[in-house]
Amino acid sequence: MIRFPAPPPSTPVPGRRSTHRATGGVPALRWPEQADVVEELRLRKVPRLLLVHPGEQPPTTLDPMEDWVRLPVDERELRARCDTLRARAAQRRPAIDTQNVLSFAGRHLPLAASEAEIARLLIESYGSVVSRHVLAARVWPEDRDGRRNALDVRILRTRRRVAPLGLFIKTVRQRGYLLHADVDEGAV
């Protein structure tokens, strides 16, 4: 059984190495003490496990990236719930194969070579901003000057092409581009 003492007021996240090992990297957060951290992870769509203290009301959620257990919890149950959360998160990540077929949420879309190269780089950095410079260098490695208008056109075409899958390429002003998914939180 894993038991957690009441956290000191200054502790923002669980500091137990054995818990981190048992959760396989899935954040395990005390509920309701760490509700602000839980909300931040919800917005970032990070899988998370809430550790509910005895006598506390558990949260109501339909988010497949969130689960909760009541303390004390058996380590096997903790591992099983975290394995499930990791599997759900993996299903929600886009992938592109060697034949330039983009897959996401059980749907598949063939892409042109130019669209696939941009999509591939954005998927490699899924959830993070990719700079225009990095994108241009990947698409045109021999051209040091970059091709501003050509890159804009390729981004526009790729953006239109991936939208039917629920994937969106967001422009992050003066930084680059970010690929994100806009799917129903209840769907996995």
Side-chain angles (χ1 to χ4, degrees), residues 59-96:
T60 302
T61 183
L62 296 176
D63 186 346
M65 295 293 105
E66 186 170 289
D67 199 356
W68 64 269
V69 294
R70 190 163 306 278
L71 294 174
V73 60
D74 181 74
E75 193 168 339
R76 289 175 300 188
E77 182 178 357
L78 189 68
R79 278 196 185 115
R81 288 182 185 258
C82 290
D83 289 347
T84 300
L85 286 169
R86 276 194 305 280
R88 288 177 186 165
Q91 290 176 349
R92 297 175 60 96
R93 188 175 183 90
I96 191 163

Side-chain angles (χ1 to χ4, degrees), residues 6-181:
S10 63
T11 305
V13 295
R16 302 260 189 216
R17 289 180 194 223
S18 62
T19 303
H20 184 73
R21 209 171 29 248
T23 63
V26 172
L29 305 162
R30 292 181 186 91
W31 181 263
E33 295 93 336
Q34 295 181 290
D36 56 334
V37 178
V38 170
E39 187 57 33
E40 178 188 326
L41 294 177
R42 277 183 188 147
L43 293 174
R44 291 178 31 215
K45 300 181 192 269
V46 173
R48 63 223 162 261
L49 182 67
L50 309 184
L51 306 171
V52 180
H53 289 284
E56 292 289 342
Q57 180 68 29
T60 302
T61 183
L62 296 176
D63 186 346
M65 295 293 105
E66 186 170 289
D67 199 356
W68 64 269
V69 294
R70 190 163 306 278
L71 294 174
V73 60
D74 181 74
E75 193 168 339
R76 289 175 300 188
E77 182 178 357
L78 189 68
R79 278 196 185 115
R81 288 182 185 258
C82 290
D83 289 347
T84 300
L85 286 169
R86 276 194 305 280
R88 288 177 186 165
Q91 290 176 349
R92 297 175 60 96
R93 188 175 183 90
I96 191 163
D97 67 15
T98 58
Q99 301 299 310
N100 298 336
V101 176
L102 178 63
S103 302
F104 180 69
R107 294 177 289 176
H108 309 283
L109 178 71
L111 298 176
S114 60
E115 298 165 344
E117 192 59 37
I118 289 173
R120 192 170 276 112
L121 185 56
L122 291 170
I123 289 168
E124 287 171 10
S125 300
Y126 187 67
S128 299
V129 176
V130 179
S131 73
R132 291 181 58 85
H133 175 73
V134 169
L135 283 164
R138 183 72 150 311
V139 176
W140 300 286
E142 71 284 346
D143 187 1
R144 297 249 189 256
D145 298 330
R147 303 176 183 207
R148 182 170 181 80
N149 291 339
L151 181 61
D152 290 342
V153 169
R154 289 209 182 171
I155 292 289
L156 178 66
R157 287 181 182 159
T158 307
R159 182 179 277 148
R160 288 178 181 164
R161 189 80 172 118
V162 303
L165 292 183
L167 292 171
F168 298 93
I169 300 173
K170 179 180 180 182
T171 302
V172 180
R173 189 175 169 99
Q174 297 183 349
R175 290 190 53 215
Y177 299 96
L178 171 73
L179 180 67
H180 68 97

